[in-house]
Amino acid sequence: MSSVSDTLSQISSSLSSSASESGSYTPESSPPTSPAPIPDVKHTFGQDCTSKQGEIKLPTPFFPPSLVRNGTLAAACTIPRVLPQELELPPVPLEAPCDEVDPQDVATPDSWINRDPRLVRLTGKHPFNSEAKLKDLYSAGFLTPSNLFFVRNHGAVPRIDYETASQWTVEIHGLCNNPTIFTLHDLRSKFQVVTVPVTLVCAGNRRKEQNIVQKSLGFSWGAAGVSTALFTGVYLSDVLDYVTPAKIAKHVIFEGCDKLPNGPYGTSQLLSWARDKRKGMLLSWAMNGVPLEPDHGFPLRLVVPSQIGGRSVKWLSHIELSKYESQHHLHFHDNKVLPMPVDADKARAENDWWYDPRYIIRDLNVNSAIASPDHEEILETADKADSDVFATGGYAYAGGGRRVTRVEISCDDGSTWSLADIQYPEDAYRDVAFEDDIYGTLDLTSTDTCLCWCFWTFNIPYGTLKGSRSISVRCMDESLALQPRDMYWNATGMMNNWWFRVCIHHIEGGRLQFEHPTMAGTQPGGWMQRLKDESMNPAKPSFAGPTDLVSENRNEVKKSEVIPMVKDGVQRKISIEEFEKHKSTENPWFVVNGEVYDGTGFLKDHPGGPESITLVAGEDATEDFMAIHSTDAKKQLVDYHIGTLAGKLETGTDQAQEYGMNHEFLHPKKWKKVVLGGIQAVSKDSKVYHFTFGSNDQALGLPTGQHVYVRLRRKVKHEDSAEVVEGELVQRAYTPLSRPEDKGFIDMLVKIYYPNEKFPQGGRMTLGFAELEIGDHVEIKGPIGHFTWLGHGRASLHGAEQRVKEIAMICAGSGVTPILQVLRAVLNDSASEDEKTRVWVLDINRHLDDILCKEELDGLAVQHRERFQLRYSLTGMPAPADWDQSLGRIDDAMLKYLPSPIAESLTCICGPLSMEQSTKGEE
């Protein structure tokens, strides 16, 4: 696979030789037009089109515009050809493509893709799932710029270089009489090329509202999981007619080339639907007049109008005619609306729900949203007469090719409704018959099928707003399907389409402030979260009261509790210079939300140990503190508040610039990303996770005996599915399994604590590891710890160096990793005979196959038998018949296998608290 720079060189070198014959153009060139020969229809031929449809060319260069950056001609060709103004069509977006990698994509598998930082990320940094802010989406108009078009990826984006794209094929096989492998040239030359305006909508649009009511299996889409573009390609129905499906074929299966844990993404259509040209299904290579971007399926994708976005397969490589529906994993384990009684846990536990054909989603349902006024927008009313009007607006859409026939607005919580004005920009294309050598045929004159969203506006008198607590919108389509008042919660959180309501707050000075129900992703805000924070039911709001938003559970709702974290009467201003004098482990100060705290008095009492504080000494700890601490911990912070920081701390060097600058990867003050490259199961509940750095020549930089902090964002997903919900941020200390001399990676041995009867939630952190997939990342920083093996028979404990002649180590389960690190270092120490340390290890596990790293431990015991004694104990019964080691939990008899304490000895324990107490005789 060529690098991006190699690809760009290929493109640049080919432009000058191919421009004349490939239909190159500049943004300023407008296609000539001919008089309209059909009454009431604007009929125009673009350049080089002198017949009904001449030779249709790919946009040049045929490569994602965001990746074409070198050369004047190349830069010009990233802007689409402008459609003639006399056609009076919605303007094609001319926004320049993104030309920089977002810092959040650095060190992910998508680090080569340029993305717009305005997009709201819904699943962290990777995989990339995003939507625009609702205000930006609405302001962009009917056609959405690709920079702001929503993105749904299940994993890493396939990296298709220029040469591969130019030779791209799609294979059509199975139950057909003429199986064929089509190149893009074949598609353009054998079938009519068309351009069609299509609105795509994620089935999870508005899911955040459902997630606030009850956590679903999906991540939190806001109301901007919808976008519209001009898609250029060929009708799927024409292609299917060419291959001639057999009569027994009932389904058409589509597969992309992405690599996911359970195979590539794939899904299917009913053959009868796929052969119906009125449904508008396309094999598409261009979007808004230019090649598809990587996130949108370059070089070829399926576009399925009026159905959920999950049916529009990206990076299309195979099509199969079959008697049966798709057997792809995500065809079954995604895009379903399960019955309301089936909650997320039941859906995960009972697999049959996913295979019931009654619950599959095909067509979109009716839906609408309010985009103006925006969330937290403030409206001045003092100088407005009651008869003056305020313009509101938003979008609406329906499925199955049906038209939205009415949009209704209520300012009294649904007691009365008024009709909004609806604009149908899609109808402009019904008055046009246009031919062009890039767009092909743009002609909707013979169809009345609605494939796009519409926009609505409604003027509300200021007098009405002043007496109202909310604005609600609902819509209806031509089948009389109507948005419901109440939410239909379901385990996938899909197809949420209850009334969209905006709360109106009456604030001082006669001003009004508007509050949307939610904000996309992890963004805070919205009246639904306020209700839930007050233990009220956000699914049953009432805006009819005289004061504020309420719920059926209470008479009134208050603002979310603001937890005070500053001490009354503290007015001290602390300069940056003074603050930075307290980076030491003895007197650590840190910042949370601009306030300074002295952690010295809590070093001994912190549940996570003093390192939890000293690691952030002299830093802004807001992100870490707010993400993982409880309400009680936040209240406790008040006692350590000493003042307000006067100034802003430097954020430090960007991680992308740090790669290669330091010999060692770890940084004690900065979280650094590592990417999961492999997972190896070593027992029924333990796995080794292999994470890679950004450089293959960097050592981890962890002293023997020390640990690293690991943090990750929890994911919730139904069984084996890639459908992700953003979750809590969790962190804890781990000792790696990899060796200090290893470079470019870190291996971590993790025992997964799955939910059980005693602990129904399982282990929060270890389940976070279990949820990881190849390409995901976690963040690490360090080193931390109070023990370090220095070598030559010496160790440092709490900063004090001492001679160690004997060391006894007791461990259980995955607690073997810190023991193993020290054991390796002691036994491989280049010390003199007088300095060599003797070692005893007692390893306690439930069953024989629970003993981790046993092969290495046994090998070291044989190799160093003169100074290393190894003893195992099993607590589970029955033990193997030939077991000659100890049985049961640690007791006095077992401790006799360890040396008696002497002046220059240490005993180290790594295991559960109960084991530590037994060893110390505290039980």
Side-chain angles (χ1 to χ4, degrees), residues 668-697:
K669 300 290 186 181
K670 294 185 177 71
W671 288 103
K672 303 183 75 172
K673 285 188 296 187
V674 291
V675 178
L676 182 59
I679 305 173
Q680 179 185 1
V682 293
S683 76
K684 64 180 182 296
D685 55 8
S686 298
K687 300 178 181 180
V688 175
Y689 290 83
H690 179 77
F691 295 94
T692 58
F693 307 158
S695 171
N696 290 328
D697 59 1

Side-chain angles (χ1 to χ4, degrees), residues 53 81 161 170 284 422 431 453 531 582 801 853 867:
Q53 184 167 44
R81 178 178 294 171
D161 64 13
V170 57
S284 173
I422 306 178
D431 296 332
W453 60 358
L531 281 179
H582 297 271
E801 187 176 327
C853 305
R867 62 189 184 109

Side-chain angles (χ1 to χ4, degrees), residues 177-199:
N177 296 322
N178 186 25
T180 307
I181 297 176
F182 291 106
T183 65
L184 293 183
H185 180 269
D186 292 334
L187 293 176
R188 298 188 337 264
S189 59
K190 293 180 182 295
F191 309 107
Q192 180 187 31
V193 176
V194 297
T195 291
V196 181
V198 175
T199 293

